[in-house]
Amino acid sequence: MGLYRSLRPLVFAAPPETAHRMAGTLLELPLPWRWIGGATDDAALRTDLAGIRLRNPIGLAAGFDKRCRVLHSLGRLGFGYLVGGTITSKPRDGNPRPRIVRYSRRGAMVNSMGLPNPGPEVAAANLRRHPRTAPRFVSIADEDLADVVRSFELLETHADAIELNASCPNVSWGRDRDTEQHLRELVRALVLRTAKPLFVKLPPFASDRERQAITALAVVAAESGAAGLTCSNTRPVLDRRQAVGTGGLSGRPLFERTIEAVRAVREATGGLVPVNACGGISTAAEALACLKAGATTVQVYTALVYEGPRLLRQLTRGLDTALGSGSSSAATVTSAA
Ligand code: RRO
């Protein structure tokens, strides 16, 4: 058993947000993160995501480092790329606590964070201050176009790509308007302002109707110039343990739907843009299944909470074994799938 697994009861004795803050404080220290992550670096893992070369297809999903403060240490753990944020045009405190709850037996969490973040000026200063140890994306979100553009303009120069978060389950934005038209406007406005790739993070679907609505959004994003799509955000659920009574479910229960979302979105967009799989991926076999379903990369967050930093070793080793024996790169497996 790894060190983190032995320490996990201690970590989990703390409230989730306290444990998360402690992890952030640790990640600010100059510890031997490369050794701690123990990721394999092998040519078989290299891949290309919308023109960005990655050492492996494992990304850190948005939400883990909402302040973009410790991406340098997370990069050293071995991630192929990192998504900081989500950042909004003005700082936000987020929702009242408790706003993260673990469901350990299910390998899941529910959060109702409500977009707490320090705003784009502080996030940009954090990104400027630290070295870039892996490609860095920044997730942004806001209700109005002008606010999205403001964050974009302050952050774009410090990032290799921007991920537009069109799917936060913990705000009411977008519920009362034509989301297709709004997304079209946002994507068009942003791609005009950059040569860097823009990704759009979509909500998950449960019913056939939702599936249609979300694949339609995927098509709108791709046709408006998005360079890639991330499928999917957390699943909205009722949760009495949250102060606000609702939240976004993440972790293992999402995995099957993630594969379905990757397939549906690839099919709907005719493979026009790459897809990042996100939702419940915690093993190399699951990561591989996503790549085989058509994803170019996978993003993890909740699995890092449950497995600790050695998750990078498990995922890169497992993928290396699978991809190294038979094909020459992750991209080969993806396009052959
Ligand atoms: O901060 C949040 O409440 C949050 C965001 Br922005 C998101 O995209 N997904 C999520 O589960 N929580």
Side-chain angles (χ1 to χ4, degrees):
M1 204 191 334
L3 180 63
Y4 183 81
R5 276 294 188 103
S6 330
L7 290 176
R8 200 170 67 183
L10 214 63
V11 176
F12 279 18
E17 218 173 320
T18 308
H20 194 82
R21 224 179 9 255
M22 278 161 34
T25 303
L26 269 182
L27 284 161
E28 286 190 75
L29 301 176
L31 298 179
W33 295 114
R34 242 175 264 286
W35 177 80
I36 291 170
T40 294
D41 189 17
D42 191 282
L45 294 173
R46 310 246 148 85
T47 193
D48 178 290
L49 175 60
I52 301 174
R53 273 193 259 162
L54 308 180
R55 66 185 165 213
N56 66 58
I58 318 289
L60 175 72
F64 189 91
D65 186 5
K66 280 180 176 285
R67 308 171 63 86
C68 301
R69 202 177 47 173
V70 289
L71 294 179
H72 55 297
S73 299
L74 290 159
R76 290 188 178 114
L77 285 181
F79 282 103
Y81 68 104
L82 310 150
V83 189
T86 297
I87 304 294
T88 52
S89 69
K90 294 195 187 70
R92 286 172 60 99
D93 291 334
N95 284 326
R97 297 176 168 89
R99 53 188 187 177
I100 311 180
V101 174
R102 300 184 197 100
Y103 289 91
S104 300
R105 267 177 301 171
R106 301 169 67 201
M109 297 197 303
V110 175
N111 85 84
S112 57
M113 298 298 285
L115 278 146
N117 78 92
E121 286 87 355
V122 171
N126 287 341
L127 290 165
R128 246 195 324 266
R129 198 166 43 241
H130 295 296
R132 178 181 168 283
T133 57
R136 302 184 301 198
F137 300 6
V138 179
S139 167
I140 61 172
D142 250 304
E143 182 159 23
D144 295 324
L145 175 63
D147 291 332
V148 173
V149 168
R150 180 170 189 277
S151 298
F152 183 86
E153 289 187 329
L154 287 164
L155 291 163
E156 186 261 357
T157 50
H158 305 290
D160 298 286
I162 296 288
E163 186 177 83
L164 176 65
N165 184 352
S167 49
C168 175
N170 298 320
V171 285
S172 57
W173 307 337
R175 286 181 199 160
D176 57 352
R177 72 166 153 224
D178 180 342
T179 47
E180 280 184 40
Q181 180 55 21
H182 185 55
L183 185 63
R184 188 176 291 114
E185 278 168 21
L186 289 179
V187 172
R188 284 188 179 160
L190 299 185
V191 296
L192 271 178
R193 289 172 162 80
T194 185
K196 294 177 182 173
L198 176 76
F199 294 85
V200 175
K201 188 162 181 178
L202 296 166
F205 56 74
S207 65
D208 274 351
R209 231 183 60 189
E210 284 173 357
R211 178 196 177 102
Q212 275 174 20
I214 283 150
T215 52
L217 280 181
V219 171
V220 165
E223 289 180 348
S224 306
L229 300 165
T230 301
C231 304
S232 309
N233 212 313
T234 54
R235 182 194 302 165
V237 289
L238 298 174
D239 183 11
R240 275 184 305 181
R241 291 169 68 191
Q242 305 286 335
V244 295
T246 59
L249 175 69
S250 65
R252 244 191 274 137
L254 299 192
F255 179 69
E256 279 182 27
R257 290 282 187 187
T258 299
I259 293 271
E260 253 186 74
V262 169
R263 287 209 182 97
V265 164
R266 287 284 288 177
E267 193 185 303
T269 55
L272 187 65
V273 294
V275 169
N276 309 310
C278 182
I281 299 149
S282 64
T283 66
E286 288 165 350
L288 189 65
C290 290
L291 300 184
K292 286 191 167 165
T296 298
T297 76
V298 301
Q299 296 183 0
V300 297
Y301 174 169
T302 304
L304 189 61
V305 172
Y306 282 99
E307 301 301 321
R310 281 277 152 147
L311 175 69
L312 274 306
R313 177 185 160 99
Q314 291 161 27
L315 293 180
T316 51
R317 279 204 167 190
L319 278 185
D320 193 37
T321 305
L323 301 174
S325 62
S327 19
S328 59
S329 74
T332 313
V333 167
T334 303
S335 56

